[in-house]
Amino acid sequence: MPGSCPAFVFACFKRVERFGDRLTGAAGPFFVAAAALLFVAGTLCFLDVILPTIPWPWLSVGPCMLIIINLFAHYYFVCTVSPGFAGDSPQRVGNGFIWAKKRRTHGRFLTNGVYWSSHMNVTPASTTKCPKCGETKPERTHHCRVCNRCVVKYDHHCPVRINQCVGLYNERHFVLFMAYVTLATFCFVVLGWSHLFVALGFEFNDTWEHRVSPILFTIIYLLCIVMCLAIATMLAWQLWSVAIGETAVESYDHEYYRKIATSRGETFQNSYDLGKLRNLQLFFNVGIDGYPIYTLFLPFRVPPYTNGRSWARRPGLERHHGVHVGEELTDEEDN
């Protein structure tokens, strides 16, 4: 009887949480449409008000347009590219013009699109069965409550911006999208501050001679300030997670593993952490045996270095050091 009250409260919270998941999932398309509308309005304000007044247009117009194209392209990719579900076949690299061309390499392909070279220690992923959907899933795969499916290298579900999970196949586009949103809003704020004073009526000698209304420009300008600060913070955290070789979900798991290892006098080592520079190269699939560095600045599709059925690991490690068999957290902990 004493334990029935906490159990009832916990069950109530879980019901509220599941209702919130369904609500955000249903409202996701409206969030995506609102975000797209905001990007379009901001672009129109920039093209109509700010761009014609930028000095040295022969030098500045090109980079500005490239930022805009990258922003929309990566937003489109992150919304339309499947994150990679455990039950689906691995995605194949396309041959269209949107796909980047891989440089000449000295390694070789293993089965199912996993690339191996002397620069990487690639080992097959262990598999388990999901207690929620019954799918056989490789390691680094987690069950999404909103999608009700297992996502390979699941990071998080994002209903506000993309209305789907961020996983193996679209996480690169997600990070680049945040980078270009941060860059675009920063440029808008820095280059548009003088126009803000005119829009607010503080410059009495100047008149507002633009198609965009001054009210809309002011609203977009203020939103750019907020978005720049917020998304820059998220981007910094996301890049740090990439640099240390973990996802958002794994960051919580690894903290738990560190406590277990410390209690035994051991040290936890993340087997996916190959060093910050190498982790970033593998994530963006550039550098040694990857794609050219210009793919970070042009809106090409670039596949991950693996399909999630094998992973590059620290030399000498086949699994995390400091975590014994059977101690790994699973999605069953969420029940």
Side-chain angles (χ1 to χ4, degrees), residues 12-41:
C12 290
F13 275 113
K14 293 301 292 184
R15 289 178 180 273
V16 172
E17 183 181 38
R18 293 190 184 98
F19 175 76
D21 291 338
R22 289 193 294 269
L23 181 63
T24 54
F30 298 99
F31 290 137
V32 172
L37 184 62
L38 177 62
F39 295 147
V40 171

Side-chain angles (χ1 to χ4, degrees), residues 157-319:
H157 185 91
C158 184
V160 177
R161 289 179 297 277
I162 63 174
N163 191 34
Q164 71 167 337
C165 293
V166 175
L168 177 66
Y169 291 105
N170 65 358
E171 60 177 350
R172 183 184 191 272
H173 296 297
F174 178 74
V175 172
L176 287 175
F177 163 69
M178 288 197 297
Y180 281 104
V181 169
T182 301
L183 185 59
T185 52
F186 177 80
C187 292
F188 195 102
V189 171
V190 171
L191 299 175
W193 68 272
S194 60
H195 300 282
L196 178 66
F197 288 106
V198 179
L200 294 175
F202 293 155
E203 296 289 343
F204 298 105
N205 295 328
D206 294 330
T207 57
W208 188 261
E209 299 177 349
H210 306 286
R211 296 182 181 88
V212 175
S213 70
I215 296 177
L216 177 61
F217 181 84
T218 303
I219 293 174
I220 294 297
Y221 189 92
L222 296 177
L223 286 175
C224 282
I225 294 177
V226 176
M227 290 180 63
C228 184
L229 295 174
I231 296 181
T233 303
M234 294 173 55
L235 175 64
W237 184 81
Q238 195 82 21
L239 286 175
W240 175 254
S241 297
V242 171
I244 61 178
E246 63 184 22
T247 63
V249 172
E250 291 171 346
S251 66
Y252 297 105
D253 293 349
H254 293 175
E255 188 62 30
Y256 171 75
Y257 297 155
R258 289 186 185 94
K259 293 179 181 178
I260 292 181
T262 301
S263 67
R264 288 196 294 256
E266 300 177 0
T267 301
F268 170 76
Q269 287 186 332
N270 176 13
S271 64
Y272 311 127
D273 185 4
L274 308 182
K276 294 181 176 59
L277 177 59
R278 191 65 179 125
N279 292 335
L280 288 167
Q281 288 177 334
L282 284 178
F283 177 83
F284 291 107
N285 203 2
V286 297
I288 302 174
D289 291 323
Y291 285 77
I293 196 70
Y294 67 74
T295 56
L296 297 176
F297 309 103
L298 297 176
F300 286 116
R301 285 287 310 277
V302 173
Y305 80 93
T306 176
N307 58 17
R309 276 65 179 177
S310 295
W311 296 103
R313 306 179 194 271
R314 283 190 181 190
L317 290 182
E318 299 295 322
R319 59 195 311 276

